[in-house]
Structures are given as structure tokens and as C-alpha cells.
């Protein structure tokens, strides 16, 4: 039994925030952002538009593409670090909006790796008897972004992507997943305030501890190393060479990170899906948005060999190999 991706969907808020717009907010330039990151613009949720709103739109599109009714879902997993509320889980709000009457629902927190982690969980659910699982990566990063901090505010964006995984006989589906972590590096990317360690308070607000902080330069180096290592491990586990890949879909954080990894792997950039110029870093949403674009643009066809690779806060890193 394999978990096959039966349909994909994505949704991005309509408001576009360009690098030129950011020039009016912090001491930065379009040139710096493009050269250092590859990002040109990102989408920003409207006031009152929350994580579940984006997730529901992406989820509906994935269900329509799969031809699966919400009422047939066994489980809904939402990977996010920007849920509507600390509790309940955003997945429960999605379950209600979709009318998925017999589905369980919970969130998964693994930052930018959240979607690949959730895919791995869903794969295990299907192998142990579930028929249809909806996996969504959805983020409103703008809600945890400090719009006065040029080190981070130029990087992130909002959006959601989703896949329906269905039980299937045959060779097509998720071939393997690989999940890693190193909590000694937890301070590289962190929202230090607002949780049980430092609950919400006037001090948290005044010191802006409820916003994302990142040691970008150190993260960059670890990202290159971990993405290369896990890609090699995943290729070896599936007994395939890098030349056998039809498409590599990485977490969309920084085009310079990806170019460095591809050079080390010997994978030409034409086989790498890049859309961060239009969305920035949408954390757990970045891979499923890119996956949906690749499917809709015909870059993934039946039989394609597709590898996913992610890294992010935790630190965590993860990969998946899929026969489409
Ligand atoms: O998905 C989560 C994982 N996170 C990531 O993947 C992020 C990984 N890191 C990165 O993508 C890069 O480290 C950044 C894009 C965040 C930064 O690029 P960098 O080449 O590592 O720059 P840097 O942090 O070493 O900073 C270089 C200079 C500094 O100025 P000085 O000290 O050399 O005078 C910064 O203050 O660039 C300055 N700088 C900026 N200048 C204009 C930092 N941010 C900006 C900015 N605009 N927005």
C-alpha cells in the first residue's frame, strides 16, 4: 500500500508587498533583497485573514483536483507555526469549514519543515489503514514578523498549499521520508516570547519578543550542509542517482542557499523549482505551494521522480522522495 498524492492546491492572499514597498518601511533596497535572497515580492494576508482562511482555500482546491469529497477524509493535518489561536488546533477550524465530518484534525509544529514532517505522518497513517488524508501547510508569517527589523521582514510571506494523500496499490506514491533535528541550534530561529517560557506580558510586547528573530548568517551555513546531506541520504536510500531526479522542490528560503546546495549535488538549477521571487519564504507553505505550481504547469507528470527538501527552526531538516 502506498500513499499517493491524488491532488494538489494552493492559495495566496491577493495583497502584494514588493521590495520597493519595503524600501519605504526599513533601511533596505530592492537590489540588496534580490541579490542576497532572490525575492522580489511576497503576499500578505488581509486584516482579519488568518491561517485557517488560507488553509481552507488551498484544501478545497486540493480536494477538487483529487476528486475526493471532504466527507471522505479520515484526517486533516495542518503544518503551521502561525495558527489562528494557541488553541484549538487550526486543523479543527479547517475541518469545520470543509465539512469533513468523519475526519480527525490536528496541527503539526516543525516550522519550515512542517509540510514534509506532516507528509511523513500522513504516509504512516495511510500505511496503517487510513484512506484519505488532507495535508496542508499554511502560514501567516506577517503576523509574527517585526516590520521594523530589516534582518527578517524582507524574507517572509503568507500563503497555503495542500495535498490529498490517498491509499493506492502500485508503484506510485511516497517512496521514503527522512526527518532530522538538532535542538542545540534552537536559538538560530526563534519567537522568544508569548509561549509558556515567557508568557504574554507588557514586557514581551515592549521588547518585541513575540516576533521572529533569526541569526541569518549562521542559519545559512547550516542550511547548505543539512540540505546537501539529507538529499544524498534520500537518493542513497532509494538507490537512485541525482541524474534520475525529474524535479527537486526545496523549501523556498534563499536562492543563494539553493544554488550552493545544487552545485554540491551536481543538480542543474533547471531541475529545481524556484518561486521564492514571487512569494518569499512562506515557511511550512512553501513546498506545497511550489508542488501545486509544478503540477499545474506540467513540470510534474505521471511517473516523475520528485524529491522534496526542507530545513528550518528547531533546527529541523527533512526530505521526501515521491514517484508521481
Ligand atoms: O526558513 C527559515 C530558514 N532561514 C533561512 O534560510 C535564512 C538563512 N539566511 C539567509 O537567507 C541570509 O543569511 C540573509 C538573507 C538573512 C542575510 O544575508 P547575508 O548575506 O547572510 O547577510 P548578513 O546577515 O551577513 O548581513 C550582511 C550585511 C550586514 O551589514 P554589515 O554588518 O555588513 O554592515 C547587515 O546589517 O547586510 C545588512 N543587512 C541588510 N542590508 C540591507 C541585513 N539585512 C539587510 C536588509 N537590507 N534587509
Amino acid at each position: 500500500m502506498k500513499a499517493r498524492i491524488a491532488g494538489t492546491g494552493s492559495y495566496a492572499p491577493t495583497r502584494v508587498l514588493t521590495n520597493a514597498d519595503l524600501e519605504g518601511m526599513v533601511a533596505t533596497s530592492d537590489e540588496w533583497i534580490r541579490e542576497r535572497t532572490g525575492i522580489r515580492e511576497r503576499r500578505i494576508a488581509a486584516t482579519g485573514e488568518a491561517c485557517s482562511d488560507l488553509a481552507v482555500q488551498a484544501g478545497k482546491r486540493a480536494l477538487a483536483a483529487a476528486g475526493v469529497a471532504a466527507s471522505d477524509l479520515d484526517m486533516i493535518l495542518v503544518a503551521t507555526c502561525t495558527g489562528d489561536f494557541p488553541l484549538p488546533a487550526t486543523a479543527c477550524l479547517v475541518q469545520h469549514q470543509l465539512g469533513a465530518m468523519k475526519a480527525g484534525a490536528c496541527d503539526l509544529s516543525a516550522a519550515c519543515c512542517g509540510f514534509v514532517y506532516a507528509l511523513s505522518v500522513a504516509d504512516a497513517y495511510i500505511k496503517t489503514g487510513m484512506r484519505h488524508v488532507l495535508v496542508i501547510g499554511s502560514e501567516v508569517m506577517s503576523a509574527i514578523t517585526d516590520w521594523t527589523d530589516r534582518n527578517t521582514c524582507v524574507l517572509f510571506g503568507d500563503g497555503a498549499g495542500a495535498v490529498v494523500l490517498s491509499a493506492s496499490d502500485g508503484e506510485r506514491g511516497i517512496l521514503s521520508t527522512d526527518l532530522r533535528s538538532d535542538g542545540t541550534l534552537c536559538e538560530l530561529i526563534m519567537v522568544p516570547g508569548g509561549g509558556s517560557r515567557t508568557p504574554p506580558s507588557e514586557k514581551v510586547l515592549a521588547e518585541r519578543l513575540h516576533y521572529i528573530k533569526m541569526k541569518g548568517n549562521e542559519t545559512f551555513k547550516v542550511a547548505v550542509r543539512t540540505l546537501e546531506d539529507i538529499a544524498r541520504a534520500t537518493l542513497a536510500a532509494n538507490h537512485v542517482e541525482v541524474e534520475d531526479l525529474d524535479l527537486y522542490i526545496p523549501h523556498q528560503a534563499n536562492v543563494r542557499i539553493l544554488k550552493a546546495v545544487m552545485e554540491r549535488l551536481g543538480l542543474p538549477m533547471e531541475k529545481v523549482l524556484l518561486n521564492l521571487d514571487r512569494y518569499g519564504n512562506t515557511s511550512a507553505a512553501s513546498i506545497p505551494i511550489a508542488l501545486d505550481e509544478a503540477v499545474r504547469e506540467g513540470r510534474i507528470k505521471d511517473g516523475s521522480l520528485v524529491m522534496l527538501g526542507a530545513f528550518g527552526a528547531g533546527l529541523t531538516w527533512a526530505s521526501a522522495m515521491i514517484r508521481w
Side-chain angles (χ1 to χ4, degrees):
M1 184 62 63
K2 281 214 165 37
R4 191 172 68 82
I5 297 185
T8 64
S10 62
Y11 172 80
T14 48
R15 185 180 157 211
V16 175
L17 185 73
T18 64
N19 292 350
D21 296 330
L22 283 161
E23 285 177 353
M25 296 161 67
V26 289
T28 192
S29 67
D30 172 47
E31 188 187 9
W32 190 97
I33 303 170
R34 272 190 291 108
E35 283 181 3
R36 297 288 180 128
T37 71
I39 300 166
R40 290 171 184 274
E41 60 187 41
R42 66 290 289 143
R43 301 297 185 91
I44 302 294
T47 306
E49 194 175 27
C51 181
S52 67
D53 300 322
L54 276 53
V56 166
Q57 295 306 324
K60 279 185 181 169
R61 290 173 186 179
L63 286 166
V68 170
S71 55
D72 287 332
L73 289 173
D74 298 305
M75 186 71 195
I76 299 171
L77 291 170
V78 175
T80 187
C81 60
T82 54
D84 291 31
F85 308 110
L87 75 89
T90 297
C92 294
L93 311 173
V94 174
Q95 178 274 332
H96 168 59
Q97 289 299 323
L98 293 179
M101 299 315 292
K102 71 178 180 72
C106 71
D107 291 355
L108 193 149
S109 167
C112 302
C113 286
F115 178 77
V116 183
Y117 266 65
L119 202 65
S120 166
V121 173
D123 182 37
Y125 280 148
I126 295 228
K127 285 184 174 136
T128 50
M130 286 190 186
R131 303 292 303 167
H132 303 289
V133 179
L134 177 62
V135 180
I136 307 175
S138 181
E139 301 281 16
V140 180
M141 296 301 286
S142 58
I144 60 164
T145 297
D146 184 346
W147 293 103
T148 66
D149 176 13
R150 72 173 183 175
N151 291 302
T152 52
C153 77
V154 302
L155 303 174
F156 298 105
D158 302 336
V163 301
V164 175
L165 284 184
S166 297
S168 164
D169 294 323
E171 297 308 310
R172 297 169 64 192
I174 297 176
L175 303 180
S176 74
T177 56
D178 196 347
L179 312 178
R180 313 285 181 91
S181 64
D182 181 357
T184 64
L185 300 173
C186 66
E187 288 182 0
L188 290 189
I189 311 171
M190 182 177 256
V191 176
S196 60
R197 176 75 58 197
T198 315
S201 67
E202 286 180 13
K203 181 174 180 292
V204 165
L205 289 179
E207 294 180 6
R208 310 179 82 76
L209 302 178
H210 55 304
Y211 292 129
I212 193 163
K213 318 277 180 208
M214 184 170 70
K215 294 178 182 158
N217 206 271
E218 289 170 58
T219 306
F220 189 110
K221 290 173 201 153
V222 186
V224 172
R225 176 170 53 79
T226 54
L227 275 181
E228 181 195 357
D229 288 351
I230 204 160
R232 288 193 190 284
T234 296
L235 290 167
N238 289 283
H239 310 289
V240 294
E241 302 296 329
V242 73
E243 297 77 31
D244 299 325
L245 287 178
D246 292 302
L247 193 64
Y248 178 57
I249 302 187
H251 169 49
Q252 309 281 313
N254 186 321
V255 74
R256 286 190 299 134
I257 293 176
L258 300 177
K259 282 185 175 160
V261 174
M262 298 320 138
E263 201 167 303
R264 287 160 181 238
L265 288 174
L267 185 67
M269 288 303 283
E270 300 79 65
K271 285 195 173 182
V272 182
L273 196 133
L274 289 178
N275 66 6
L276 84 173
D277 56 323
R278 288 174 287 123
Y279 296 108
N281 178 346
T282 57
S283 187
S286 88
I287 288 180
I289 292 174
L291 195 55
D292 185 46
E293 285 195 357
V295 171
R296 287 173 199 268
E297 288 168 6
R299 289 188 71 181
I300 299 180
K301 303 179 180 65
D302 287 358
S304 292
L305 190 63
V306 180
M307 187 164 73
L308 313 181
F311 67 95
L315 287 186
T316 50
W317 58 105
S319 71
M321 188 74 86
I322 302 164
R323 176 67 70 187
W324 207 265

